[in-house]
């Protein structure tokens, strides 16, 4: 109640403030009633729905009521929609279940259809193969080779089509059927071809004239062409394995020998097997050269027939001849040799002398087949592939290493190692006469090694043998610097032996410098760079300083590297692999040249002491002389110097001597300037005499005119 009275009080105060003090209480009450009545009317106007002030505008309460009514309606509609949603969900689920059942039935039906289709296709293939087989048998029995080969081609094509099918039995049956008819047709065609070959007296195991061969060929040319056309049509699908197409060799790049070449070789193979596999005396494991030479003979004896007679037939029968008859014939004979070598070489690995003999004969044979009269492509497999087989190559590398190091040691054990091998050959160039025996013999050793590994077909093997060559060059330099025998050691850089050693160093260094631009060594440099990148990616590359300039091949990466490189073309590069080695040779050359220059200048300085002590400020006037001559104290050093230069001219290479003489003159000029000009005073006579000595003596050091002037 206190709050109520407080509000009344405040309200009264407000009214009283609005009226003056003179007004009576009645007036105050009247004002209060009037004010209250106005406020009541205002409130009634706001809350009375039928008030005249709200006829044009709805009241706030009415709006709220309408909003509540609308919200209730919306809630009812929402509930109805949710009910409908539940019903639709149930209906959709029911339809999905029905659709899944239908789909499952459809998939089962499709699977059955596919299975039925495969069975039908399977049966059709079988039916086709059986019909074609029967037809082929019928035509073959009747001798109709064209029809037989045509049907065989259809069987082979069908076999190729079903190679990826999941029906293993069909694949096996088609392949076996194709193989069967291939053998049947091959037997028939081989027999017919052999009849023709007999008529032309093939193979030519005895020497026959080209005119006689031409007559035989011309008489049977058409029949040979017909039989050859049949053979060219007979081939197996690539995936069908057979002795004709299954590699018996494990070499990169090997491919089957064509059928017509196999038939041509059959007679030679029989002879080869009889002589070199049986109990004949010709089958001597110590004499591989017997059958290697026989193969060369057969190649040469059949060259005319293969190139002049058979190859034109191939070109007539095919638009683009897929084979070179001579190359394929040689390849077949080489395969025969490889199989023979393979059966022997692994059994002689422990017999180093015999193994070395085999290596020599194989290298001779390989070099022979690459010569112009045979001209076998060097990128095709040959006997060198056998030497690169891992076990055989390791033995070969070891033999090369042992033999080369033994020969290197023998070079320096010779008492004439530092003497010229051309000394008594006057027709030789003067510089050639100054080349030592050890340098010339060593280069012969390197060239022989290069000739051997130049034929190696695999880059990794070439690099390993090349590394041996690099090591030998390094060892040779060490043996020159530190001779293995004491009798060639000398401390005198002017001695003939020291000059010979310097010549050897310069000679070998110049050869190495030339090798940097040779195609063979550029190719090896390219392989080395490629191997470095390959090893960094797939293996490891040893980058220790002690291995700088060395070639280290990881055998686990070698075969993969070879496979990649044999399919790439090498690019021209400079053989920088020689740079560290060449630098060592040039450094030793510089050291020895400097030693000679210093030795000569020490001798000159000692001999020139009296000349330096001449009294240049007290010499007579030039007018007092009739003829002025070189100072007498200068004659001895000039004569000695001329003698030294004469010996160096005879003992050193021309360009080396010129370099040493130029350096001696430069240093001696500096010596004269410091010892004579800067340390003495000159009168007119002394200056004239010194100028004469310079012009007629010191400036002509090492020329042919000095001795003439000194003898006057």
């Amino acid at each position: 109640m206190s709050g109520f009275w407080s509000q009344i009080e405040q309200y009264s105060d407000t009214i009283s403030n609005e009226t003056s003090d003179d007004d009576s209480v009645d007036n105050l009450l009247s004002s209060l009633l009037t004010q209250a009545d106005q406020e009541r009317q205002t409130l009634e106007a706001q809350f009375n729905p039928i008030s005249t002030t709200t006829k044009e505008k709805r009241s706030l309460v009415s709006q709220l009521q309408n909003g509540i009514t609308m919200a209730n309606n919306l809630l009812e509609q929402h509930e109805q929609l949710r009910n409908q949603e539940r019903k639709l969900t149930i209906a959709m689920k029911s339809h999905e279940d029905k659709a899944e059942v239908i789909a499952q039935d459809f998939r089962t039906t499709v699977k059955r259809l596919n299975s039925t289709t495969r069975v039908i296709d399977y049966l059709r293939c079988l039916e086709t193969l059986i019909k074609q087989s029967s037809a082929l048998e019928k035509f073959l029995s009747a001798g109709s080779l064209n029809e037989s080969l045509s049907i065989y081609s259809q069987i082979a094509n069908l076999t190729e089509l079903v190679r990826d099918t999941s029906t293993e039995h069909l694949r096996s049956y088609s392949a076996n059927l194709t193989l069967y008819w291939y053998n049947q047709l091959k037997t028939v065609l081989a027999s017919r071809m052999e009849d023709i070959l007999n008529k032309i007296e093939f193979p030519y195991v005895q020497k026959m004239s080209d005119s006689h061969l031409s007559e035989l060929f011309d008489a049977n040319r058409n029949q040979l062409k017909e039989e050859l056309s049949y053979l060219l049509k007979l081939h197996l699908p690539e995936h069908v394995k057979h002795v004709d197409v299954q590699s018996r060799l494990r070499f990169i790049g090997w491919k089957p020998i064509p059928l017509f070449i196999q038939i041509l070789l059959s007679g030679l193979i029989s002879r080869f097997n009889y002589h070199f596999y049986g109990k004949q005396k010709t089958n001597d494991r110590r004499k591989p050269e017997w059958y290697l030479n026989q193969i060369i003979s057969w190649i040469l004896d059949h060259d005319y027939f293969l190139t002049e007679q058979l190859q034109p037939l191939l070109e007539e029968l095919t638009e683009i001849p897929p084979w070179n008859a001579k190359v394929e014939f040689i390849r077949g004979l080489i395969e025969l040799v490889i199989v023979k070598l393979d059966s022997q070489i692994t059994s002689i690995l422990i017999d180093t002398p015999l193994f070395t003999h085999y290596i020599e004969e194989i290298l001779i044979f390989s070099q022979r087949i690459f010569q112009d009269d045979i001209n076998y492509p060097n990128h095709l497999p040959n006997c060198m592939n056998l030497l690169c087989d891992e076990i055989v190559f390791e033995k070969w590398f070891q033999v090369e290493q042992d033999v080369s190091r033994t020969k290197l040691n023998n070079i320096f054990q010779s008492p004439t190692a530092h003497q010229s091998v051309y000394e008594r050959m006057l027709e030789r160039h003067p510089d050639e006469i100054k080349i030592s025996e050890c340098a010339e013999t060593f280069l012969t050793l390197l060239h022989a090694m290069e000739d051997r590994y130049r034929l190696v077909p695999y880059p990794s093997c070439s690099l390993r043998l090349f590394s041996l060559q690099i090591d030998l060059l390094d060892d040779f330099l060490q043996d020159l610097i530190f001779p293995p025998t004491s009798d060639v050691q000398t401390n005198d850089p002017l001695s003939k032996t020291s000059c010979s050693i310097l010549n050897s160093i310069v000679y070998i260094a110049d050869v190495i410098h030339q090798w940097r631009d040779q195609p063979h060594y550029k190719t090896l440099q390219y392989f080395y760079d490629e191997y470095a990148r390959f090893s960094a990616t797939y293996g490891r590359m040893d980058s220790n300083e002690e291995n700088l300039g060395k070639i280290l091949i990881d055998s686990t990466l070698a075969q993969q590297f070879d496979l990649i490189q044999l399919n790439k073309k090498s690019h021209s590069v400079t053989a920088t692999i020689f740079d560290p080695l060449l630098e060592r040779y040039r450094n030793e050359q510089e050291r020895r040249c400097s030693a000679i220059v210093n030795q000569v200048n020490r001798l000159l300085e000692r001999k020139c002491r009296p000349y330096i002590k001449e009294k240049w400020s007290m010499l007579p006037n030039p007018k007092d002389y009739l003829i002025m001559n070189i100072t007498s104290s200068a004659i001895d050093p000039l004569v000695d110097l001329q003698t030294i230069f004469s010996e160096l001219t005879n003992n050193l290479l021309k360009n080396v001597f010129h370099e040493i003489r130029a350096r001696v003159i430069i240093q001696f000029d500096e010596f004269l300037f410091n010892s004579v000009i800067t340390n003495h005073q000159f009168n007119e006579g002394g200056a004239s005499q010194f100028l004469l000595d310079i012009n007629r003596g010191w400036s002509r050091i090492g020329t042919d005119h000095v001795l003439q002037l000194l003898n006057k």
Side-chain angles (χ1 to χ4, degrees):
M1 292 296 291
S2 58
F4 173 75
W5 291 109
S6 300
Q7 293 178 6
I8 291 295
E9 227 175 274
Q10 292 176 2
Y11 185 72
S12 300
D13 291 339
T14 302
I15 297 299
S16 61
N17 290 332
E18 294 176 357
T19 60
S20 62
D21 295 336
D22 297 333
D23 292 338
S24 61
V25 177
D26 294 335
N27 290 334
L28 179 59
L29 290 174
S30 177
S31 297
L32 286 171
L33 290 173
T34 303
Q35 184 68 27
D37 187 58
Q38 290 177 354
E39 291 181 358
R40 178 182 60 79
Q41 291 177 0
T42 302
L43 290 173
E44 286 180 353
Q46 291 178 354
F47 292 99
N48 188 2
I50 58 172
S51 174
T52 56
T53 59
T54 59
K55 288 181 180 180
E56 294 82 7
K57 186 170 71 171
R58 299 175 61 186
S59 66
L60 178 60
V61 175
S62 178
Q63 293 178 10
L64 292 174
Q65 288 175 347
N66 291 336
I68 291 171
T69 301
M70 291 175 63
N72 290 332
N73 293 335
L74 290 174
L75 288 173
E76 290 177 0
Q77 293 177 7
H78 176 68
E79 186 64 26
Q80 291 175 359
L81 290 174
R82 291 191 61 184
N83 291 335
Q84 292 177 3
E85 180 189 7
R86 293 190 192 97
K87 293 178 181 180
L88 288 174
T89 302
I90 295 171
M92 288 175 63
K93 180 63 176 173
S94 176
H95 284 298
E96 286 180 359
D97 294 340
K98 292 178 181 179
E100 181 62 29
V101 172
I102 295 172
Q104 184 64 34
D105 292 341
F106 180 75
R107 282 193 292 268
T108 303
T109 303
V110 170
K111 187 180 294 185
R112 289 175 180 173
L113 287 173
N114 290 336
S115 179
T116 303
T117 302
R118 283 197 298 270
V119 171
I120 293 173
D121 292 340
Y122 182 88
L123 294 175
R124 283 178 178 172
C125 284
L126 285 178
E127 182 183 12
T128 302
L129 289 171
I130 292 170
K131 286 182 178 180
Q132 290 176 340
S133 179
S134 299
L136 198 157
E137 183 177 12
K138 177 181 176 182
F139 284 115
L140 188 59
S141 300
S144 302
L145 286 178
N146 282 323
E147 290 78 4
S148 299
L149 289 169
S150 177
I151 295 174
Y152 170 80
S153 297
Q154 296 175 21
I155 295 176
N157 291 336
L158 185 56
T159 301
E160 187 72 30
L161 290 175
V162 301
R163 65 178 296 185
D164 296 326
T165 182
S166 60
T167 53
E168 181 179 353
H169 294 293
L170 180 61
R171 286 187 282 112
S172 176
Y173 175 76
S174 62
N176 291 334
L177 183 64
T178 303
L179 191 56
Y180 170 78
W181 284 117
Y182 175 82
N183 288 326
Q184 296 298 314
L185 289 168
K186 176 184 173 182
T187 302
V188 173
L189 295 178
S191 177
R192 292 168 60 95
M193 188 68 173
E194 287 173 1
D195 292 340
I196 302 302
L197 294 177
N198 290 333
K199 291 180 180 180
I200 62 175
E201 301 181 15
F202 186 92
Y204 307 122
V205 293
Q206 296 179 351
K207 188 65 177 176
M208 301 175 67
S209 65
D210 291 347
S211 60
H212 180 61
L213 290 177
S214 180
E215 291 176 3
L216 292 174
F217 180 78
D218 291 340
N220 298 276
R221 185 180 188 279
N222 293 334
Q223 191 175 358
L224 179 60
K225 180 179 179 181
E226 181 182 10
E227 298 303 327
L228 185 60
S229 67
Y230 292 150
L231 287 172
L232 294 177
K233 295 176 183 179
L234 183 62
H235 56 83
L236 280 169
E238 293 182 359
H239 70 286
V240 177
K241 301 301 179 184
H242 186 262
V243 69
D244 292 345
V245 296
Q246 185 178 10
S247 173
R248 292 179 293 160
L249 309 177
R250 52 189 178 277
F251 303 145
I252 299 173
W254 186 93
K255 59 181 180 179
I257 305 298
L259 180 58
F260 74 96
I261 294 295
Q262 294 179 41
I263 296 175
L264 291 178
L265 291 172
S266 59
L268 296 177
I269 292 174
S270 298
R271 287 173 171 80
F272 188 90
N273 292 339
Y274 174 78
H275 288 288
F276 303 115
Y277 278 100
K279 296 181 180 180
Q280 302 296 322
K281 292 182 180 180
T282 50
N283 185 22
D284 188 348
R285 67 195 298 265
R286 297 169 299 176
K287 299 291 185 180
E289 60 270 26
W290 285 355
Y291 57 82
L292 292 174
N293 291 336
Q294 182 61 72
I295 293 296
I296 295 295
S297 177
W298 283 344
I299 292 173
L300 295 176
D301 290 343
H302 292 83
D303 180 76
Y304 176 76
F305 169 75
L306 295 169
T307 57
E308 301 297 330
Q309 297 177 335
L310 185 60
Q311 187 63 34
L313 284 183
L314 288 176
E315 294 174 358
E316 289 180 20
L317 293 171
T318 53
E319 294 182 0
I320 302 177
W323 300 290
N324 182 309
K326 180 181 177 180
V327 171
E328 296 302 320
F329 185 83
I330 298 172
R331 204 161 62 84
L333 290 176
I334 288 177
E335 179 181 316
L336 193 63
V337 172
I338 291 174
V339 173
K340 175 63 178 177
L341 286 171
D342 193 32
S343 68
Q344 292 181 322
I345 199 166
T346 52
S347 64
I348 63 172
L349 290 177
I350 58 175
D351 189 347
T352 301
L354 184 56
F355 178 79
T356 304
H357 178 61
Y358 267 72
I359 296 296
E360 292 173 353
E361 292 301 329
I362 291 173
L363 288 170
I364 292 172
F365 176 79
S366 299
Q367 290 173 342
R368 184 67 184 89
I369 63 174
F370 295 139
Q371 291 178 2
D372 292 339
D373 57 342
I374 295 180
N375 199 25
Y376 182 71
N378 56 13
H379 67 276
L380 293 178
N382 56 77
C383 295
M384 294 300 298
N385 294 74
L386 181 63
L387 294 185
C388 293
D389 188 62
E390 185 174 359
I391 298 176
V392 179
F393 180 77
E394 288 299 328
K395 178 66 177 178
W396 180 26
F397 183 80
Q398 187 62 47
V399 169
E400 284 282 351
Q401 194 172 43
D402 294 341
V403 171
S404 59
R405 295 193 187 283
T406 300
K407 289 182 177 179
L408 182 60
N409 293 334
N410 293 336
I411 287 174
F412 289 101
Q413 289 176 359
S414 171
T416 58
H418 296 286
Q419 296 179 12
S420 172
V421 292
Y422 306 118
E423 200 165 11
R424 290 177 295 276
M425 300 180 184
L426 300 179
E427 69 276 7
R428 290 277 183 171
H429 188 275
D431 271 0
E432 291 181 345
I433 297 176
K434 297 168 188 175
I435 301 302
S436 66
E437 176 186 293
C438 64
E440 197 64 48
T441 306
F442 177 66
L443 272 184
T444 302
L445 171 65
L446 292 183
H447 285 309
M449 182 181 296
E450 177 191 335
D451 289 339
R452 288 193 294 275
Y453 77 79
R454 186 186 290 271
L455 302 176
V456 170
Y458 302 139
S460 62
C461 297
S462 297
L463 285 174
R464 287 196 62 189
L465 290 169
F466 177 48
S467 71
L468 179 57
Q469 197 177 22
I470 296 291
D471 292 342
L472 288 174
L473 284 164
D474 197 26
D475 293 342
F476 180 77
L477 179 61
Q478 293 300 317
D479 289 342
L480 280 175
I481 299 173
F482 306 105
T485 54
S486 58
D487 57 330
V488 297
Q489 293 180 359
T490 177
N491 294 322
D492 184 7
L494 300 179
S495 67
K496 188 172 183 178
T497 300
S498 294
C499 291
S500 176
I501 292 174
L502 177 57
N503 288 338
S504 299
I505 292 172
V506 174
Y507 180 49
I508 300 298
D510 290 343
V511 170
I512 294 173
H513 185 76
Q514 293 173 5
W515 284 353
R516 296 171 76 251
D517 296 322
Q518 289 186 3
H520 171 67
Y521 292 107
K522 286 182 177 182
T523 301
L524 289 172
Q525 177 67 48
Y526 171 77
F527 286 147
Y528 176 75
D529 295 339
E530 287 293 304
Y531 179 77
R533 285 189 284 270
F534 178 81
S535 181
T537 304
Y538 300 103
R540 65 180 184 85
M541 190 74 175
D542 197 342
S543 58
N544 294 336
E545 290 185 2
E546 61 183 21
N547 293 325
L548 186 63
K550 296 193 178 206
I551 303 172
L552 304 175
I553 302 297
D554 188 346
S555 59
T556 59
L557 300 175
Q559 187 173 8
Q560 299 174 8
F561 174 70
D562 292 337
L563 284 169
I564 294 173
Q565 293 306 317
L566 288 175
N567 293 320
K568 293 173 65 176
K569 280 189 176 181
S570 60
H571 301 281
S572 179
V573 294
T574 301
T576 56
I577 190 66
F578 287 116
D579 288 354
L581 182 66
L582 185 59
E583 184 179 2
R584 290 194 287 273
Y585 270 83
R586 293 305 188 193
N587 288 341
E588 182 61 23
Q589 174 185 342
E590 171 60 25
R591 188 183 71 81
R592 288 183 173 271
C593 287
S594 297
I596 293 175
V597 171
N598 294 335
Q599 178 73 0
V600 172
N601 277 287
R602 281 195 296 269
L603 293 174
L604 275 178
E605 290 173 8
R606 187 169 64 250
K607 285 285 186 179
C608 285
R609 287 173 185 170
Y611 182 75
I612 294 172
K613 294 178 181 179
E614 290 285 347
K615 297 179 180 180
W616 301 102
S617 61
M618 302 175 61
L619 292 180
N621 194 295
K623 296 178 181 179
D624 297 338
Y625 293 101
L626 219 66
I627 298 176
M628 291 187 67
N629 292 318
I630 296 175
T631 305
S632 58
S633 59
I635 293 178
D636 285 344
L638 281 170
V639 171
D640 289 345
L641 183 60
Q642 182 64 26
T643 302
I644 292 173
F645 278 165
S646 178
E647 291 178 353
L648 291 178
T649 302
N650 294 329
N651 295 334
L652 289 175
L653 297 173
K654 184 177 181 180
N655 61 329
V656 178
F657 169 72
H658 287 322
E659 179 187 351
I660 289 174
R661 184 178 66 177
R663 291 171 62 176
V664 167
I665 292 173
I666 291 173
Q667 289 191 19
F668 187 69
D669 285 347
E670 185 178 355
F671 168 75
L672 287 178
F673 181 82
N674 293 330
S675 301
V676 179
I677 296 177
T678 60
N679 290 336
H680 293 82
Q681 292 183 353
F682 293 83
N683 63 2
E684 184 179 356
S688 299
Q689 183 63 50
F690 185 72
L691 184 62
L692 177 70
D693 293 343
I694 292 294
N695 292 332
R696 298 183 61 184
W698 303 120
S699 64
R700 299 187 180 186
I701 291 177
T703 64
D704 295 333
H705 303 290
V706 175
L707 286 177
Q708 298 174 4
L709 293 172
L710 294 175
N711 292 330
K712 289 182 179 180

